[in-house]
Amino acid sequence: MSSSPNLHVSNDIKEGVYTPCDIGSNMILSPPGYWERYHSAGDPELQPVLALLSLSLSMYLVTVLRNLLSIPAVSAVSPLHTPMYFFLSNLCWADVGFTSAMVPKMMVDIQSHSSVISHAGCLTQMSFLVLFACIEGMILTVMAYDCFVAICRPLHYPVIVNPHLCVFFVLVSFFLSLLDSQLHSWIVLQFTIIKNVEISHFVCDPSQLLKLACSDSVINSIFIYFHSTMFAFLPISGILWSYYKIVPSILRISSSDGKYKAFATCGSHLAVVC
């Protein structure tokens, strides 16, 4: 897929008369001409599309069921009532929300051979995508800190990572992510989009929409860099810093059994981060 938006004006609009600032209500998500290839149900190329639809549906159901089953399992089993599993259950909620904001619409588009989305629908999808993506990133950072305290400060772990701090971390992650999501929506609402815009992306990605902005491109660039710093660079830096401290602490452990337990503590978190 192309990394930049490809704008196509419908036949009843004269090309060159309108600008990206003109009012519009619909957007088309996908590369140019993608859906037009599947008009006919007898098209031999339709079979791979149906296979893709089945695969997407299966993976989506597995992802949602796995996460929804993990949450009550953590609540029901008393040995799992630890900060790490508390953060993991919240990560499951965020993963369900992030996947549900993207995959169902994509599957409907594949099944209906149409990828039109309303302006309001696009903003709603973008808001939820940003919200849950930011929550996931911030909770993964908090989980890295939890691993750091558990391995590098084991004697002080119950005092430092107490239930109040865990709830505080989750609430801060949610409200900061909500702030970022609403900030995205506010920036996008500062401009309007031409009718029947075709965006070369299968979701309403903020970076794609910001390229259609009417406002000063310098302001948009500043916003993109600020967003990348706050919700990409800082979480990644926090995770790297935690493991920069964790790895030497593990290597200093003399017993192999102790090293194994330490690696097991952060192994699942590392797998999710990777």
Side-chain angles (χ1 to χ4, degrees), residues 162-214:
N162 55 71
H164 296 290
L165 184 65
C166 295
V167 174
F168 173 76
F169 278 150
V170 171
L171 290 178
V172 169
S173 300
F174 173 78
F175 283 114
L176 288 179
S177 300
L178 182 62
L179 175 64
D180 181 52
S181 174
Q182 296 307 305
L183 187 59
H184 268 89
S185 298
W186 180 80
I187 291 292
V188 172
L189 283 173
Q190 298 311 299
F191 61 88
T192 50
I193 299 176
I194 193 171
K195 286 185 177 180
N196 299 331
V197 173
E198 186 167 318
I199 304 174
S200 297
H201 210 281
F202 64 95
V203 294
C204 291
D205 184 75
S207 62
Q208 298 288 326
L209 296 178
L210 285 173
K211 293 176 182 179
L212 304 176
C214 302

Side-chain angles (χ1 to χ4, degrees), residues 97-171:
F98 179 78
T99 307
S100 299
M102 175 176 53
V103 178
K105 177 67 171 67
M106 182 182 68
M107 291 189 296
V108 170
D109 291 345
I110 294 176
Q111 193 274 333
S112 62
H113 306 173
S114 173
S115 54
V116 176
I117 187 171
S118 66
H119 192 188
C122 185
L123 292 176
T124 302
Q125 184 187 59
M126 182 197 69
S127 297
F128 281 111
L129 283 174
V130 174
L131 172 65
F132 290 116
C134 289
I135 290 176
E136 285 191 354
M138 298 191 72
I139 290 182
L140 286 173
T141 306
V142 172
M143 292 173 72
Y145 173 75
D146 178 75
C147 290
F148 161 74
V149 178
I151 295 174
C152 301
R153 305 286 188 272
L155 298 179
H156 299 88
Y157 179 80
V159 177
I160 298 176
V161 189
N162 55 71
H164 296 290
L165 184 65
C166 295
V167 174
F168 173 76
F169 278 150
V170 171
L171 290 178

